[in-house]
Amino acid sequence: MGDLTDCFRAPNAAAVVQSLKKTDGGSPLHAEPPVFDGVDAKRVDPVVVLGQLVTAIRRTEWRVDLVEQTAVWPTSREPGPDGPEFDDDPWATGPWVSELHPLVRDTLAGVRD
């Protein structure tokens, strides 16, 4: 099936959490009406694919830590290196939402049509 990734623009992390609580973790893009402006980006994971795009735009070398992210959802504490303790832990099942570093936003926003 592949990774299903939604990229959206939100005013802040609190607005994202509020939206996900209202929809029981459903995508804000697929709510009726959509909560945030964005796109379905199947298989565009932030670390590798988006990182490679940012690298190409900036004409730099790719590295695994290029696209910094801050976890927004789930709101519970992230599990340690052994992973989630239970199979139904939201960190095991998803969805997962991360806020991308402003470097990524500014790089993509700076691309000319």
Side-chain angles (χ1 to χ4, degrees):
M1 181 162 127
D3 294 332
L4 300 177
T5 304
D6 293 338
C7 295
F8 55 87
R9 190 173 38 185
N12 53 48
V16 173
V17 170
Q18 181 181 10
S19 167
L20 290 166
K21 283 181 178 179
K22 283 183 180 178
T23 62
D24 196 27
S27 172
L29 294 184
H30 301 288
E32 286 297 328
V35 179
F36 304 122
D37 180 35
V39 296
D40 290 325
K42 186 174 184 179
R43 297 190 182 114
V44 179
D45 71 281
V47 174
V48 178
V49 177
L50 189 58
Q52 290 174 338
L53 177 61
V54 169
T55 295
I57 294 167
R58 298 188 64 170
R59 297 182 182 170
T60 61
E61 225 175 282
W62 179 84
R63 59 184 200 279
V64 74
D65 64 345
L66 179 69
V67 177
E68 294 179 36
Q69 314 176 63
T70 303
V72 173
W73 186 272
T75 57
S76 59
R77 195 172 60 150
E78 195 167 350
D82 294 333
E85 197 171 326
F86 304 102
D87 290 342
D88 64 345
D89 185 305
W91 285 99
T93 61
W96 307 277
V97 178
S98 295
E99 181 177 10
L100 301 176
H101 191 277
L103 166 85
V104 176
R105 177 201 62 215
D106 294 347
T107 298
L108 296 174
V111 174
R112 294 184 298 190
D113 290 345

